[in-house]
Amino acid sequence: GQNIDQPTEMTATEGAIVQINCTYQTSGFNGLFWYQQHAGEAPTFLSYNVLDGLEEKGRFSSFLSRSKGYSYLLLKELQMKDSASYLCAVMADSWGKLQFGAGTQVVVTP
Amino acid sequence: DVKVTQSSRYLVKRTGEKVFLECVQDMDHENMFWYRQDPGLGLRLIYFSYDVKMKEKGDIPEGYSVSREKKERFSLILESASTNQTSMYLCASSFGGGTSGQGRGSEQFFGPGTRLTVL
């Protein structure tokens, strides 16, 4: 079956760095997405990785190791508005379906 | 900008009622999806459609059906609502196969969600 694991909750201080890990075991792999979801809102796209390595986009970076079935999302210079749930999702087929992890709630404190 | 809209933000229904949730997208996307989101369980796929009149079951299709008569519209139907279907329902759309549907092009765009309460 498909399995995507990420921590339930992480707390960090404003200005700090937080790394959210995601491990996956899926029947196929066509890329990994990270989404951000604020409470009561729709998920919004953050990053996409299909090749090994690091993708940097401003304060957010995402890393992928396909051989290890592992990804992380790095949030730097945390701001209060970064308090949200972060969803890891794997595209395991070529149709475009995503398998989501349960999400990691990040709490940023002053 | 891609826009995915859902017919209601909040809905309260009674057990046994037939419930329709509507989703409309304006980006000419081939793929449309219905998910439910529950605390601790994340997003779970109910049904998926990759073309008009085409549908595929997701991970939890029991108790649900779908309809896609037009490319831009995907409806989720609860034939006889039950209390365990109380949840947040999210619709999403994306490009299908071909060049536009590969890699980053397969990104899913989500609607604002419908919080359904079944009493």
Side-chain angles (χ1 to χ4, degrees):
Chain A
Q2 323 274 37
N3 205 36
I4 299 171
D5 290 315
Q6 48 182 131
T8 304
E9 185 171 316
M10 302 181 76
T11 302
T13 309
E14 202 173 5
I17 298 173
V18 70
Q19 178 175 313
I20 307 168
N21 296 325
C22 172
T23 58
Y24 62 90
Q25 286 179 303
T26 54
S27 53
F29 184 81
N30 260 326
L32 186 144
F33 290 81
W34 284 95
Y35 283 83
Q36 180 190 59
Q37 186 179 23
H38 285 101
E41 297 183 10
T44 54
F45 171 85
L46 283 179
S47 70
Y48 170 78
N49 295 71
V50 68
L51 299 177
D52 288 354
L54 188 69
E55 295 275 344
E56 296 187 84
K57 195 191 296 185
R59 293 189 299 113
F60 293 3
S61 304
S62 57
F63 171 84
L64 175 68
S65 168
R66 288 174 300 173
S67 62
K68 294 182 179 174
Y70 168 70
S71 172
Y72 68 72
L73 180 70
L74 195 70
L75 285 63
K76 294 179 275 191
E77 300 167 23
L78 278 173
Q79 302 175 9
M80 297 300 292
K81 67 178 181 180
D82 297 331
S83 290
S85 183
Y86 292 84
L87 312 178
C88 172
V90 173
M91 184 173 301
D93 65 17
S94 57
W95 288 100
K97 288 188 290 186
L98 294 178
Q99 291 286 336
F100 282 86
T104 299
Q105 184 67 43
V106 170
V107 178
V108 181
T109 59
Chain B
D1 270 357
V2 174
K3 197 163 184 184
V4 181
T5 57
Q6 295 183 226
S7 48
S8 308
R9 288 302 303 270
Y10 300 93
L11 209 52
V12 180
K13 295 291 182 181
R14 297 213 172 271
T15 303
E17 279 193 80
K18 191 168 186 175
V19 182
F20 293 86
L21 302 182
E22 298 271 307
C23 175
V24 178
Q25 51 94 5
D26 66 358
M27 268 298 286
D28 202 34
H29 283 165
E30 290 83 6
N31 291 346
M32 295 189 76
F33 308 83
W34 273 107
Y35 296 91
R36 63 177 284 177
Q37 186 173 33
D38 301 287
L41 297 177
L43 273 77
R44 292 180 292 166
L45 182 65
I46 304 171
Y47 266 97
F48 159 54
S49 170
Y50 55 90
D51 202 350
V52 176
K53 296 193 187 295
M54 306 301 285
K55 61 186 179 187
E56 277 199 17
K57 293 179 180 178
D59 300 317
I60 49 165
E62 297 78 20
Y64 303 95
S65 62
V66 289
S67 171
R68 193 161 179 206
E69 296 296 318
K70 293 185 177 181
K71 190 175 186 180
E72 68 271 17
R73 189 179 298 268
F74 192 35
S75 302
L76 180 70
I77 304 151
L78 287 66
E79 293 289 342
S80 178
S82 63
T83 54
N84 63 12
Q85 292 179 309
T86 291
S87 186
M88 170 67 86
Y89 290 87
L90 287 162
C91 174
S93 70
S94 71
F95 285 112
T99 307
S100 60
Q102 299 303 311
R104 167 70 201 275
S106 51
E107 171 193 347
Q108 291 186 17
F109 295 84
F110 286 84
T114 297
R115 184 162 294 282
L116 173 67
T117 302
V118 183
L119 301 175

